[in-house]
């Protein structure tokens, strides 16, 4: 599944379509037991939720991504950055 297409669509302003693809990717990678790819897909979902003005959902997805990406520290950096953006958006910058 080309899950990066969801991110591309969201960057083109097609947030709904991007979200659907990334949610399918999360489900698929979860069933496969692939925390690395599931974590990346959740990072993209968090970005999409943030762009859609849903910082609470973005925070939830970003936290899940950070946890999953303990297996891939180089990818965890991006998830942590998205989490920081969500915390700023919700006024929780001190965390």
């Amino acid at each position: 599944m080309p899950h990066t297409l969801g991110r591309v669509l969201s960057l083109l302003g097609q947030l709904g379509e991007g979200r659907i693809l990334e949610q399918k990717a999360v489900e698929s990678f979860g069933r496969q037991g692939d925390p690395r790819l599931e974590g990346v897909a959740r990072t993209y979902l968090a970005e999409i939720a943030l762009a859609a003005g849903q910082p609470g959902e973005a925070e939830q997805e970003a936290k899940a991504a950070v946890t999953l990406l303990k297996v891939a520290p180089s990818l965890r950096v991006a998830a942590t950055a998205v989490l920081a953006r969500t915390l700023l958006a919700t006024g929780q910058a001190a965390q």
Side-chain angles (χ1 to χ4, degrees):
M1 170 181 289
H3 76 94
T4 55
L5 179 59
R7 183 168 192 250
V8 171
L9 288 174
S10 72
L11 292 172
L12 292 172
Q14 299 175 32
L15 300 176
E17 294 87 347
R19 180 187 311 250
I20 290 168
L21 287 177
E22 290 306 322
Q23 286 172 331
K24 288 180 180 179
V26 164
E27 293 167 8
S28 176
F29 296 137
R31 281 193 306 273
Q32 293 173 30
D34 189 333
R36 186 179 64 84
L37 288 177
E38 182 183 351
V40 170
R42 286 190 183 277
T43 301
Y44 294 164
L45 264 179
E47 289 178 330
I48 293 167
L50 200 54
Q54 299 172 324
E57 180 183 336
E59 181 181 351
Q60 181 181 4
E61 291 296 346
K63 284 181 176 179
V66 168
T67 299
L68 286 162
L69 291 172
K70 286 180 182 177
V71 300
S74 62
L75 297 172
R76 191 175 192 211
V77 172
T80 302
V82 174
L83 177 58
R85 287 178 37 217
T86 66
L87 294 175
L88 285 171
T90 60
Q92 302 177 63
Q95 291 185 4

